[in-house]
Amino acid sequence: MNEPDPRHVDTDEQARLRLTAHPLQRIGAYALAALGKTSAVESLTPDGFNAAVKTVTQDAVTAALVRDTKSEQGFWLKTSMSFFPNSKMNHLSNAKKDNLTIRGAVERWRERPDPSAWPEAACVLCGRQAVGYYGKVDVPLAESDLYRNNTPRGHAGMALCWPCLCSFYVLPYGCRLTGGPSTALHSWDERFMARTLSRRVERNRQLIALGRADSGRVLSNEVMALQALRRHEDRLIAGVELLVFSNNNRGQTLEIQSLDQSIAEWLRRTSRPPYNRGFPALLRAHSTQDRPGVLCLARNAFRAPEQIASACGRYLTARLDRGVIRTDTAELAGLCFSFVTEVMRMNQNEIDEIRAAGAQVAAWLNAENSAGQLRAFNATLKEPRRMRHWLMRRNLDALLAQDGGISGPLVSESQFRLLFDPEVEQAWFHRQLLIVSVVQRLHELGFKPSDRAEVAAAMADEEREHPEDIDYVKGEE
Ligand SMILES: [Zn+2]
């Protein structure tokens, strides 16, 4: 019985891109679609596909003919070492070869193998007929630990079809290139991929034409990801991964950092009303003396998202000692609460309880009209026992003084539980939110305590005294 030979497939099939589960293949496929001037991978026609692949091969030839990676136009050639080491494009022996020989070798390397040479194997990524086995020279990370499971032992590499293989050839167009490790963004949100990669491809094509590296400064890979998110127009429906990798001979590396959909979407919205109004304050809240806020914000987003809310809290309360409520309080507190709801997914009832307690405390402080009282309350944040005591004391005061302008207790029993119960896991965070709520409400009330100048002056005096001097005087007594 004659089995149909799987190799006799329609050649059009070998010119139709498909998206697979491999992030780097997907990035390459989108880059290839962008080169073919279409945003949807599936709508790239076989003619469009073949033309785009031809462009990529010609770019490789042009780069190879430069021969010297250190020359003024050598950047694309240098980049190829991080993707296709020891390939015909950048082989050491190229220095001694003439143009015709190099061109021929690169074109042959990038040619689709003749069907007679196709193995009896399916593409490991998409299941279509493979055109050969491919290893490190053609596919970044084919041999790295993380991707090794794709390569059966004893095989030359992964069995790949032509469109999947070409996706890897185009991969550099979809990355931020440094000459060393490359950076790429990946997401299962297809619209995000299409837009982000079309911008990246456009930029890289300009750089390829010049043969030079990107002169634009990027503070960090994480900042680059943040920028891409903030530029995206549609709601994100999936998280985003930041891949930093190299296929260089000196060592294959792959580092993956991820953002969940909720924080990716929240960061995206910080560039749009109403969240954009708080963004400058969010950066101020994250900046340190030697680092811009955007660097720390992007880093926190990837590595410790909960720190974003803490940074807002610290910033909003930093001047309470002087009785000063910052002018940007409303915007930043609003952004902070949106983060707590949308990213940390805190229970809305609990947030409402804490805000209600905060409003009561603010009303009491406003009625007292005292920077000294505000300072005393703020100082309790570091010690839960003191804060609890302070609140209980004010509860009693409020109950006793019928004319204090505060109705009912400052803090209810259920609120006390949220703030101080050892069984409540996030109690410390609830206390931070309480202070943010207090500050936000005081800002709304236009709190300007009469003793502010006095408190500030007292603080200035304290600041002039070196702590060691204070200890010295105490020791003398
Ligand atoms: Zn395939």
Side-chain angles (χ1 to χ4, degrees):
M1 213 173 86
N2 278 344
E3 289 272 319
D5 187 339
R7 284 169 289 188
H8 291 157
V9 285
D10 179 2
T11 44
D12 257 17
E13 188 62 12
Q14 291 287 346
R16 285 203 185 275
L17 266 181
R18 274 194 202 161
L19 291 169
T20 71
H22 193 306
L24 296 179
Q25 186 274 335
R26 284 168 49 82
I27 293 165
Y30 272 103
L32 198 45
L35 280 175
K37 304 264 179 286
T38 160
S39 57
V41 166
E42 313 78 50
S43 57
L44 185 64
T45 61
D47 283 348
F49 171 86
N50 289 326
V53 170
K54 203 168 168 186
T55 304
V56 174
T57 304
Q58 287 319 304
D59 284 345
V61 168
T62 308
L65 293 179
V66 173
R67 291 185 183 78
D68 180 7
T69 57
K70 292 193 183 67
S71 86
E72 211 176 310
Q73 278 111 42
F75 183 70
W76 196 238
L77 183 61
K78 186 180 175 195
T79 295
S80 74
M81 317 276 262
S82 307
F83 287 86
F84 317 109
N86 294 343
S87 69
K88 299 293 178 195
M89 193 175 167
N90 50 40
H91 204 271
L92 277 177
S93 63
N94 283 2
K96 295 185 205 107
K97 290 177 185 159
D98 61 48
N99 284 2
L100 213 61
T101 311
I102 294 176
R103 173 180 291 278
V106 173
E107 284 177 347
R108 271 193 304 283
W109 165 46
R110 289 291 180 88
E111 211 166 65
R112 195 191 77 191
D114 189 80
S116 63
W118 294 354
E120 276 190 53
C123 171
V124 294
L125 299 182
C126 74
R128 285 178 290 182
Q129 168 66 47
V131 297
Y133 289 99
Y134 297 90
K136 184 178 152 132
V137 172
D138 301 276
V139 184
L141 305 165
E143 292 169 21
S144 95
D145 290 346
L146 279 155
Y147 284 75
R148 193 165 283 156
N149 54 3
N150 284 332
T151 313
R153 250 174 217 288
H155 263 297
M158 296 155 73
L160 290 174
C161 70
W162 182 239
C164 284
L165 176 62
C166 287
S167 303
F168 289 109
Y169 288 151
V170 185
L171 179 61
Y173 293 71
C175 300
R176 189 174 84 82
L177 305 164
T178 63
S182 306
T183 312
L185 287 173
H186 175 259
S187 173
W188 300 102
D189 183 320
E190 308 298 349
R191 267 194 300 201
F192 177 77
M193 288 293 276
R195 301 244 175 88
T196 306
L197 279 155
S198 91
R199 272 198 289 264
R200 179 60 66 189
V201 167
E202 203 175 305
R203 182 79 192 123
N204 275 334
R205 291 215 71 191
Q206 293 165 352
L207 298 172
I208 292 164
L210 297 169
R212 304 217 175 103
D214 200 337
S215 55
R217 192 164 154 258
V218 173
L219 285 167
S220 73
N221 288 322
E222 292 148 347
V223 171
M224 182 202 80
L226 175 67
Q227 274 161 350
L229 288 172
R230 285 174 46 83
R231 285 177 78 170
H232 188 58
E233 280 145 21
D234 298 301
R235 195 184 123 77
L236 280 161
I237 56 167
V240 170
E241 287 157 347
L242 178 62
L243 300 110
V244 182
F245 64 96
S246 174
N247 194 36
N248 195 289
N249 272 338
R250 267 169 272 157
Q252 291 173 313
T253 56
L254 171 64
E255 200 188 300
I256 303 174
Q257 288 178 270
S258 309
L259 283 183
D260 286 345
Q261 183 274 337
S262 59
I263 185 163
E265 171 62 10
W266 184 81
L267 289 169
R268 186 190 76 79
R269 289 177 64 196
T270 59
S271 68
R272 285 161 177 74
Y275 291 1
N276 60 344
R277 287 199 290 275
F279 191 67
L282 183 66
L283 295 187
R284 284 194 287 278
H286 279 86
S287 72
T288 61
Q289 241 170 5
D290 52 353
R291 286 185 175 188
V294 69
L295 192 70
C296 301
L297 171 65
R299 195 188 151 84
N300 276 350
F302 276 99
R303 301 177 194 219
E306 67 286 351
Q307 290 287 331
I308 292 177
S310 301
C312 294
R314 271 197 308 278
Y315 176 82
L316 288 170
T317 55
R319 293 186 187 166
L320 293 189
D321 275 355
R322 292 169 176 75
V324 176
I325 309 286
R326 291 185 189 266
T327 51
D328 51 10
T329 292
E331 292 87 0
L332 188 59
L335 206 52
C336 180
F337 276 109
S338 72
F339 184 86
V340 170
T341 315
E342 293 163 28
V343 182
M344 299 178 76
R345 301 201 189 272
M346 200 174 142
N347 180 309
Q348 190 61 47
N349 279 342
E350 293 182 354
I351 296 178
D352 292 344
E353 286 278 357
I354 290 166
R355 295 185 84 155
Q360 284 286 76
V361 172
W364 184 87
L365 287 167
N366 197 47
E368 288 287 307
N369 195 23
S370 159
Q373 290 287 9
L374 175 61
R375 189 185 170 191
F377 172 62
N378 183 49
T380 66
L381 182 59
K382 293 183 193 87
E383 281 179 63
R385 281 181 54 190
R386 275 177 64 200
M387 184 188 256
R388 189 192 180 103
H389 183 258
W390 191 95
L391 289 171
M392 285 171 80
R393 176 79 229 176
R394 299 295 96 77
N395 255 5
L396 284 178
D397 290 351
L399 287 174
L400 292 173
Q402 302 296 328
D403 55 347
I406 313 291
S407 57
L410 255 67
V411 180
S412 73
E413 245 181 88
S414 63
Q415 291 161 354
F416 260 114
R417 217 174 14 255
L418 279 175
L419 294 167
F420 301 105
D421 193 332
E423 303 271 297
V424 175
E425 218 174 294
Q426 297 280 314
W428 65 272
F429 185 67
H430 295 164
R431 293 192 292 274
Q432 230 172 19
L433 283 187
L434 175 73
I435 296 242
V436 172
S437 310
V438 170
V439 175
Q440 188 182 27
R441 185 73 189 128
L442 284 175
H443 183 262
E444 281 167 12
L445 294 169
F447 180 66
K448 279 213 176 61
S450 50
D451 59 345
R452 194 165 72 180
E454 215 175 290
V455 167
M459 294 262 325
D461 276 347
E462 278 174 29
E463 276 173 7
R464 271 197 289 275
E465 288 180 74
H466 194 281
E468 279 187 28
D469 293 337
I470 298 170
D471 287 347
Y472 178 78
V473 174
K474 273 188 190 154
E476 274 192 336
E477 278 165 6

Coordinates of all heavy atoms in Angstrom, one line a residue, residues 13 27 54 57 75 93 104 118 141 149 260 291 310 331 336 340 365 373 414 438-439 444 464:
E13 N 2.1 26.1 1.2 CA 2.0 25.8 2.6 C 3.3 26.1 3.3 O 3.3 26.5 4.5 CB 1.7 24.3 2.8 CG 1.4 23.8 4.2 CD 0.1 24.5 4.8 OE1 -0.6 25.1 4.1 OE2 0.0 24.4 6.0
I27 N 7.6 36.1 18.0 CA 8.2 37.4 17.8 C 8.7 37.6 16.3 O 8.4 38.5 15.6 CB 9.3 37.7 18.8 CG1 8.8 37.8 20.2 CG2 10.1 39.0 18.4 CD1 9.8 37.7 21.3
K54 N 13.2 37.4 1.2 CA 14.2 37.9 0.3 C 14.9 39.1 0.8 O 16.1 39.2 0.8 CB 13.6 38.2 -1.1 CG 14.5 38.1 -2.2 CD 13.8 38.1 -3.6 CE 14.8 38.3 -4.7 NZ 14.0 38.5 -6.0
T57 N 17.3 38.2 3.5 CA 18.5 37.5 3.0 C 19.4 38.6 2.4 O 20.6 38.6 2.7 CB 18.1 36.5 1.9 OG1 17.2 35.6 2.4 CG2 19.4 35.8 1.4
F75 N 27.4 47.2 12.5 CA 26.6 46.8 13.6 C 25.7 45.6 13.3 O 25.5 44.7 14.1 CB 25.7 48.0 14.0 CG 24.8 47.6 15.2 CD1 25.4 47.4 16.4 CD2 23.5 47.4 15.1 CE1 24.7 47.1 17.5 CE2 22.7 47.1 16.2 CZ 23.3 46.9 17.4
S93 N 36.4 33.2 8.1 CA 37.2 33.1 6.9 C 36.6 34.1 5.8 O 37.3 34.3 4.8 CB 37.0 31.7 6.3 OG 35.6 31.4 6.1
G104 N 27.2 34.3 -2.4 CA 26.7 33.0 -2.8 C 26.5 32.1 -1.6 O 25.5 31.4 -1.4
W118 N 14.0 17.1 2.1 CA 13.3 17.3 3.3 C 13.2 15.9 4.1 O 13.0 14.9 3.5 CB 11.8 17.7 3.0 CG 11.8 19.1 2.4 CD1 12.8 20.0 2.3 CD2 10.6 19.7 1.9 NE1 12.3 21.2 1.7 CE2 11.0 21.0 1.4 CE3 9.3 19.4 1.7 CZ2 10.1 21.9 0.8 CZ3 8.4 20.3 1.1 CH2 8.8 21.5 0.7
L141 N 19.1 29.6 20.9 CA 18.7 28.9 22.1 C 18.2 27.4 21.8 O 17.7 26.8 22.7 CB 17.5 29.6 22.8 CG 17.8 31.0 23.2 CD1 16.5 31.7 23.6 CD2 18.8 31.1 24.3
N149 N 14.5 20.4 25.4 CA 13.5 19.4 25.2 C 12.9 19.4 23.8 O 12.3 18.4 23.4 CB 12.4 19.5 26.3 CG 11.8 20.9 26.2 OD1 12.2 21.7 25.4 ND2 10.8 21.2 27.1
D260 N 2.1 40.5 35.1 CA 0.7 39.9 34.9 C -0.1 40.9 34.1 O 0.2 42.1 34.1 CB 0.0 39.8 36.3 CG 0.6 38.6 37.0 OD1 1.3 37.8 36.4 OD2 0.4 38.5 38.3
R291 N 18.8 58.1 41.3 CA 18.1 57.3 40.2 C 16.8 57.9 39.8 O 16.0 58.3 40.7 CB 17.8 55.9 40.7 CG 19.0 55.1 40.7 CD 18.7 53.7 41.0 NE 19.9 52.9 40.9 CZ 20.0 51.6 41.0 NH1 18.8 50.9 41.2 NH2 21.1 50.9 40.9
S310 N 3.7 50.9 48.3 CA 4.5 51.4 49.4 C 5.2 52.7 49.1 O 5.3 53.6 49.9 CB 5.5 50.3 49.8 OG 4.8 49.1 50.2
E331 N -4.0 63.4 43.2 CA -3.7 62.6 42.0 C -3.0 61.3 42.4 O -3.3 60.2 42.0 CB -2.7 63.4 41.1 CG -3.4 64.6 40.4 CD -3.2 65.8 41.2 OE1 -2.6 65.7 42.3 OE2 -3.7 66.9 40.8
C336 N -2.8 55.5 43.7 CA -2.4 54.4 44.6 C -3.6 53.5 44.9 O -3.5 52.3 44.9 CB -1.9 55.1 45.9 SG -1.4 54.0 47.2
V340 N -4.2 49.5 44.2 CA -4.6 48.5 45.3 C -5.8 47.7 44.8 O -5.9 46.5 45.0 CB -4.9 49.3 46.6 CG1 -5.5 48.4 47.6 CG2 -3.6 49.9 47.1
L365 N -8.5 65.4 63.0 CA -7.3 66.2 63.0 C -7.6 67.6 62.4 O -7.1 68.6 62.9 CB -6.3 65.5 62.0 CG -5.6 64.2 62.6 CD1 -4.8 63.5 61.4 CD2 -4.6 64.6 63.7
Q373 N -0.6 67.4 66.3 CA -1.3 66.1 66.4 C -1.1 65.2 65.1 O -1.1 64.0 65.3 CB -2.8 66.5 66.5 CG -3.2 67.1 67.8 CD -3.2 66.1 69.0 OE1 -2.8 65.0 68.8 NE2 -3.7 66.6 70.1
S414 N -14.8 46.6 63.5 CA -14.3 45.8 62.3 C -13.1 46.5 61.7 O -12.2 45.8 61.2 CB -15.5 45.6 61.3 OG -15.8 46.9 60.8
V438 N -6.0 59.1 55.2 CA -6.1 60.3 56.1 C -5.5 61.5 55.3 O -6.2 62.6 55.3 CB -5.3 60.1 57.4 CG1 -5.1 61.4 58.2 CG2 -5.9 59.0 58.3
V439 N -4.4 61.3 54.7 CA -3.7 62.4 53.9 C -4.6 62.9 52.8 O -4.8 64.1 52.6 CB -2.4 61.9 53.4 CG1 -1.7 63.0 52.6 CG2 -1.4 61.6 54.6
E444 N -8.3 67.1 50.8 CA -9.6 67.5 50.3 C -10.2 68.6 51.2 O -10.9 69.5 50.7 CB -10.6 66.3 50.3 CG -10.5 65.4 49.1 CD -11.2 64.1 49.3 OE1 -12.0 64.0 50.3 OE2 -11.0 63.2 48.5
R464 N 19.1 70.1 63.2 CA 20.5 70.6 63.4 C 21.3 69.8 64.3 O 22.5 69.8 64.3 CB 20.5 72.1 63.8 CG 20.4 73.0 62.5 CD 20.8 74.4 62.9 NE 19.7 75.1 63.7 CZ 18.7 75.7 63.2 NH1 18.5 75.7 61.9 NH2 17.8 76.3 64.0

